[in-house]
Amino acid sequence: TQLLEQSPQFLSIQEGENLTVYCNSSSVFSSLQWYRQEPGEGPVLLVTVVTGGEVKKLKRLTFQFGDARKDSSLHITAAQTGDTGLYLCAGADAGGTSYGKLTFGQGTILTVHP
Amino acid sequence: NAGVMQNPRHLVRRRGQEARLRCSPMKGHSHVYWYRQLPEEGLKFMVYLQKENIIDESGMPKERFSAEFPKEGPSILRIQQVVRGDSAAYFCASSPETVVGTQYFGPGTRLLVL
């Protein structure tokens, strides 16, 4: 059974600060997804990283996939109140009939105070 | 381009009744996944389907739960004889054939069993 450990579980910061969320596993994933979920809604895809060592930037968000494809991080620069929400990482399994099945981390609840 | 659609958004059932949850994938997507999010827990994989085929149902409870994705029409997740423990948010996701892991989620169906 693949597991993804996401940390921290809760993060409360002031507007303008930087933050990093981590996602770690002992398993190798074929790809790693980051989602953001608002209350009462479904997860919204932010990014997919596929190649070990890959770095992707989306405005103030930087996503990194570890060289061994077992871990990932999400870094937000100069956080804004609009960044408040639940952030989820999810690893994709490419083996056999589990093709594409996502294993989710527990999530990080980010609160950005004005 | 419409996203993944799910209905109903909210469903209330009494113990012993049946619940039917519907999911229409994004246009052009032939892969459908169902996930369950229990209160205070993360998203858990249930089943992966392609048109007329169940590819991976390793996350489905052995009894009372079934899923289908017919040639025509939406994917259906069916829960027979619901119990209080079935109360959860059920999410459907779809993906294009070529990209492992990149899944787009619907808004979910919140099932409440009284």
Side-chain angles (χ1 to χ4, degrees), chain A residues 27-99:
Chain A
S27 304
V28 176
F29 292 101
S30 61
S31 68
L32 201 294
Q33 279 60 234
W34 284 92
Y35 290 88
R36 179 175 159 178
Q37 185 178 18
E38 300 294 335
E41 298 296 331
V44 175
L45 180 67
L46 297 175
V47 77
T48 294
V49 285
V50 179
T51 307
E54 182 176 3
V55 177
K56 279 191 175 179
K57 294 197 174 194
L58 195 67
K59 296 184 181 178
R60 294 177 295 101
L61 278 60
T62 302
F63 305 87
Q64 187 162 7
F65 202 13
D67 291 340
R69 291 186 290 135
K70 293 182 179 181
D71 53 85
S72 181
S73 64
L74 157 61
H75 182 79
I76 301 179
T77 303
Q80 300 175 355
T81 55
D83 295 328
T84 293
L86 172 64
Y87 290 82
L88 297 162
C89 63
D93 183 352
T97 57
S98 297
Y99 182 85

Side-chain angles (χ1 to χ4, degrees), chain A residues 40, chain B residues 7-12 108-112:
Chain B
N7 67 80
R9 292 290 305 270
H10 299 275
L11 183 61
V12 180
T109 294
R110 271 92 188 147
L111 172 65
L112 175 62

Side-chain angles (χ1 to χ4, degrees), chain B residues 93-107:
Chain B
S94 72
S95 72
E97 192 161 350
T98 55
V99 183
V100 174
T102 298
Q103 296 177 19
Y104 299 88
F105 281 76

